[in-house]
Amino acid sequence: SETLVLGVGGLIFGAMTGWLLARMLVKVLTGVFDPPPTVLAVPWDYLSAVGLLTAVSLVLVTATAIRLTRRPAISILRRL
């Protein structure tokens, strides 16, 4: 559940931040380009690849954390 909450929260926050940053850059750079852009270009292939890699990473990290927490703490402490 922690991974899900942090993953969804990060996705929402990252999407909002990216959208606001893109809007700000278009607003600032409108005077530089002739003609100015009418719509924002969205790199869907790149965003899909990053989203897929993020999801796979979250699943792997969560599976590893669950596996490690099931080990007895005494055996881990004895190795230290």
Side-chain angles (χ1 to χ4, degrees):
S1 65
E2 179 185 2
T3 303
L4 184 63
V5 169
L6 291 176
V8 170
L11 178 68
I12 292 170
F13 181 74
M16 286 186 339
T17 304
W19 181 76
L20 288 172
L21 181 62
R23 299 275 306 172
M24 185 266 311
L25 283 173
V26 167
K27 195 79 98 169
V28 168
L29 295 175
T30 296
V32 175
F33 297 109
D34 188 34
T38 56
V39 295
L40 294 176
V42 181
W44 289 112
D45 293 340
Y46 173 75
L47 291 176
S48 299
V50 169
L52 180 65
L53 288 173
T54 301
V56 168
S57 299
L58 288 174
V59 168
L60 289 174
V61 165
T62 303
T64 303
I66 290 171
R67 186 175 51 88
L68 289 176
T69 56
R70 292 191 179 175
R71 293 172 52 192
I74 284 293
S75 66
I76 295 171
L77 288 174
R78 284 185 182 154
R79 287 187 190 174
L80 295 176

